[in-house]
Amino acid sequence: MIETVDAGVAAERTSVLLIDDDARIRQALGLALDDEGFTVEAAASGEQALTMLRDNDVDVVLLDLTLPGVDGLVVCRTLRARSDLPIIIVSARSDSGDIIEGLEAGADDYVTKPLDAGELAARIRALLRRRRPAVGEAGRRFVLGDVEVVPDEGVVRKAGVEIHLTRTEFRLLVELLSAGGRVVTREALLQHVWGYDYLGDTRLLDVHVRRLRRKVETDPDEPCLVLTVRGAGYKVARG
Amino acid sequence: MIETVDAGVAAERTSVLLIDDDARIRQALGLALDDEGFTVEAAASGEQALTMLRDNDVDVVLLDLTLPGVDGLVVCRTLRARSDLPIIIVSARSDSGDIIEGLEAGADDYVTKPLDAGELAARIRALLRRRRPAVGEAGRRFVLGDVEVVPDEGVVRKAGVEIHLTRTEFRLLVELLSAGGRVVTREALLQHVWGYDYLGDTRLLDVHVRRLRRKVETDPDEPCLVLTVRGAGYKVARG
DNA sequence: GCGAAAGCTGACGATTGTTTGACGATGTGG
DNA sequence: CCACATCGTCAAACAATCGTCAGCTTTCGC
């Protein structure tokens, strides 16, 4: 089943930036979080951290407050001013005043040392749940000729103007687009768009392709976006 | 006509639901959080809490784990299944295992007793910052065709003149506007506008959409602002 | 060319989802 | 206690979408 391949938006590991000046802690936490399924980058100072944030994709920041040079809280505020990245302060100072100050500086959570890596991981995960509309297939967008498809928004535009597709038509189109120009067999289409193993009239597919073409093609009688592959199935034209 | 004014009360206090079976704690925390600027509702059991959530507007839930009857973690999972309300577990159990379990049950934060009210307040505020995709705290303003909506003031104007929406209509409209043109499923609307686990007649939604259109659309029979997405839900037209 | 297989097409009920007006319950203010 | 606003429910009307069919056209091997 070829379909599965493309759907494989492989679960990317979450990347954590650990800012701590103590090498042993960087080492220990790094290993522990790695075990928990995170990729850990480490920085020993605020400056270094800011540089790394510019160059790397980071999902969460772990910030120690006692840093050499710039104060941890200042780093926190700077980070927060630049992005809305989740920040967890990891600090040895454990009294309420410090915690309040840290949270008020823009941190999302504050954990005190000594800390349990499992707990930290759980807190990171809890925070990530809140991140963005964690839409499954985020940010996908297809362009096919003068047609633009945004699966997340359920929107299709032709030459810039929004056109309306029915649910079936929409799924059919996305299914074809997902194959990126390769042929999708009739069977596969029936299976994916209609579900399980469809048994009814197989003309069903033709009919819907036609309805789709009517809306999507500039000249429905001379399709150049959704193409028939005789004896096999359908495909979309290659970009 | 309190409803009108109430529709979009400016600077509404954040409402906290405190679930704890110990009356003294309810009393003490209630007072302390009140000082911090929160409105506190209290429930002594999970069942009571669920009822209150149906009837009241709550922004955050504080949940004690040791409840009579149903286990706190179960309450937590139930809440989470029904809504994405911020949940902070407040518990006497302080070991990592418990904390991990709590966070994994869907809680956003876990604080241990004895606790400092100031810290708790700071954690609540930190959590609220993360709330919802982009609930810009203040100064939100939507424009939809010739309709202007100012959530903070609870005011809706059409072609410059103020029109009156009932509370439900107002929330419905804001909910749709917040999605910025994306489709909002019927489910999501029922959940966000009506409450956590609305079970009644689902025609309810249609009826209110209609009433909303009557007031908002220039030609209610040909809606061009609040659009139906058959089989899915509703959306507002894109600006 | 011919005929069969594969695909295309327009039309037509059936189904499902939405709209609509009306009604009764509830709550608030006069 | 009445008048009014708002809400939730219902049933009938309406509309979009779907699946099916029967006839037509294209393609391709012979």
Side-chain angles (χ1 to χ4, degrees):
Chain A
M1 214 148 294
I2 304 167
E3 317 313 323
T4 12
V5 177
D6 90 282
V9 180
E12 205 173 296
R13 281 166 68 103
T14 303
S15 155
V16 175
L17 175 59
L18 170 60
I19 313 176
D20 199 310
D21 63 325
D22 184 334
R24 281 172 314 168
I25 290 187
R26 289 203 302 272
Q27 171 78 10
L29 258 189
L31 282 176
L33 289 178
D34 194 270
D35 277 351
E36 292 277 353
F38 299 101
T39 298
V40 182
E41 318 268 350
S45 70
E47 294 80 0
Q48 194 189 342
L50 289 174
T51 311
M52 295 184 67
L53 280 170
R54 233 193 311 278
D55 304 333
N56 301 313
D57 267 344
V58 169
D59 299 305
V60 189
V61 174
L62 300 182
L63 174 63
D64 181 27
L65 282 189
T66 55
L67 292 173
V70 194
D71 178 56
L73 285 177
V74 175
V75 175
C76 184
R77 287 197 197 90
T78 312
L79 285 178
R80 178 55 74 236
R82 294 192 188 183
S83 78
D84 66 346
L85 225 49
I87 300 175
I88 299 181
I89 291 182
V90 178
S91 165
R93 299 184 220 151
S94 66
D95 67 77
S96 299
D98 286 319
I99 297 181
I100 293 172
E101 211 173 7
L103 293 172
E104 235 126 61
D108 292 293
D109 201 346
Y110 190 115
V111 301
T112 55
K113 299 177 188 173
L115 46 75
D116 179 89
E119 177 187 335
L120 184 55
R123 284 183 181 274
I124 293 174
R125 279 190 284 266
L127 205 42
L128 288 176
R129 283 199 302 261
R130 284 272 165 218
R131 275 255 313 145
R132 292 287 153 168
V135 186
E137 337 171 308
R140 270 205 304 174
R141 167 177 296 253
F142 300 102
V143 175
L144 178 64
D146 61 349
V147 175
E148 183 191 359
V149 181
V150 191
D152 292 331
E153 300 174 23
V155 161
V156 181
R157 276 183 281 267
K158 180 172 178 63
V161 296
E162 191 168 335
I163 59 178
H164 171 70
L165 299 190
T166 71
R167 231 209 308 231
T168 318
E169 288 156 4
F170 188 82
R171 282 201 238 160
L172 181 55
L173 178 55
V174 170
E175 196 61 33
L176 285 168
L177 284 166
S178 299
R182 277 168 306 186
V183 180
V184 187
T185 66
R186 298 176 70 94
E187 276 152 12
L189 285 171
L190 284 169
Q191 191 164 111
H192 284 100
V193 178
W194 278 267
Y196 47 96
D197 11 69
Y198 183 81
L199 293 174
D201 188 347
T202 162
R203 290 281 68 83
L204 181 63
L205 177 54
D206 311 50
V207 172
H208 279 276
V209 166
R210 157 146 245 282
R211 306 214 245 240
L212 176 59
R213 282 174 173 160
R214 273 213 178 125
K215 296 181 178 176
V216 162
E217 298 277 355
T218 307
D219 177 3
D221 293 330
E222 187 103 0
C224 61
L225 301 178
V226 178
L227 309 174
T228 303
V229 182
R230 194 183 165 82
Y234 295 90
K235 67 176 182 179
V236 291
R238 284 232 193 232
Chain B
M1 226 181 267
I2 288 187
E3 300 296 353
T4 325
V5 182
D6 176 21
V9 183
E12 199 175 304
R13 279 165 68 105
T14 301
S15 158
V16 175
L17 175 61
L18 171 59
I19 312 177
D20 198 310
D21 63 326
D22 184 335
R24 283 171 315 169
I25 290 187
R26 290 204 301 272
Q27 171 78 9
L29 259 190
L31 283 175
L33 289 178
D34 194 86
D35 277 351
E36 293 277 352
F38 299 101
T39 298
V40 182
E41 319 267 351
S45 71
E47 294 81 1
Q48 195 188 343
L50 289 175
T51 310
M52 294 183 68
L53 281 171
R54 233 192 310 277
D55 304 334
N56 301 311
D57 267 341
V58 168
D59 299 304
V60 188
V61 174
L62 300 182
L63 174 64
D64 181 27
L65 282 190
T66 54
L67 292 172
V70 194
D71 179 55
L73 285 178
V74 174
V75 175
C76 183
R77 289 198 197 90
T78 311
L79 285 177
R80 179 54 75 239
R82 295 189 188 185
S83 79
D84 65 347
L85 225 49
I87 300 175
I88 300 181
I89 290 182
V90 177
S91 164
R93 300 182 219 153
S94 66
D95 68 78
S96 299
D98 287 320
I99 298 182
I100 294 172
E101 209 173 9
L103 293 172
E104 235 127 61
D108 293 293
D109 202 346
Y110 189 116
V111 301
T112 54
K113 301 176 185 175
L115 45 75
D116 178 90
E119 176 188 335
L120 184 55
R123 284 184 180 274
I124 292 174
R125 279 190 284 266
L127 204 41
L128 287 176
R129 284 198 302 259
R130 284 272 166 218
R131 194 181 40 176
R132 289 275 177 109
V135 176
E137 299 308 300
R140 266 203 307 176
R141 214 178 69 94
F142 298 104
V143 175
L144 178 64
D146 61 349
V147 175
E148 183 191 356
V149 181
V150 190
D152 294 328
E153 299 170 21
V155 163
V156 181
R157 274 183 285 267
K158 181 172 177 63
V161 296
E162 189 167 338
I163 59 178
H164 168 70
L165 298 190
T166 71
R167 209 218 308 245
T168 313
E169 288 155 4
F170 187 83
R171 282 204 238 164
L172 180 56
L173 179 55
V174 171
E175 195 63 32
L176 285 169
L177 284 167
S178 300
R182 290 179 185 226
V183 180
V184 188
T185 65
R186 299 179 137 261
E187 244 175 18
L189 285 170
L190 285 170
Q191 190 166 103
H192 287 124
V193 177
W194 276 268
Y196 304 87
D197 54 346
Y198 184 82
L199 292 174
D201 189 349
T202 157
R203 292 281 66 84
L204 179 63
L205 176 54
D206 311 50
V207 172
H208 278 274
V209 166
R210 157 152 242 281
R211 307 215 243 243
L212 176 59
R213 281 175 174 160
R214 275 213 176 124
K215 297 181 179 178
V216 163
E217 297 276 356
T218 307
D219 176 3
D221 292 330
E222 186 107 358
C224 61
L225 301 179
V226 178
L227 309 175
T228 304
V229 182
R230 192 182 165 84
Y234 294 90
K235 67 177 181 180
V236 291
R238 285 233 189 230

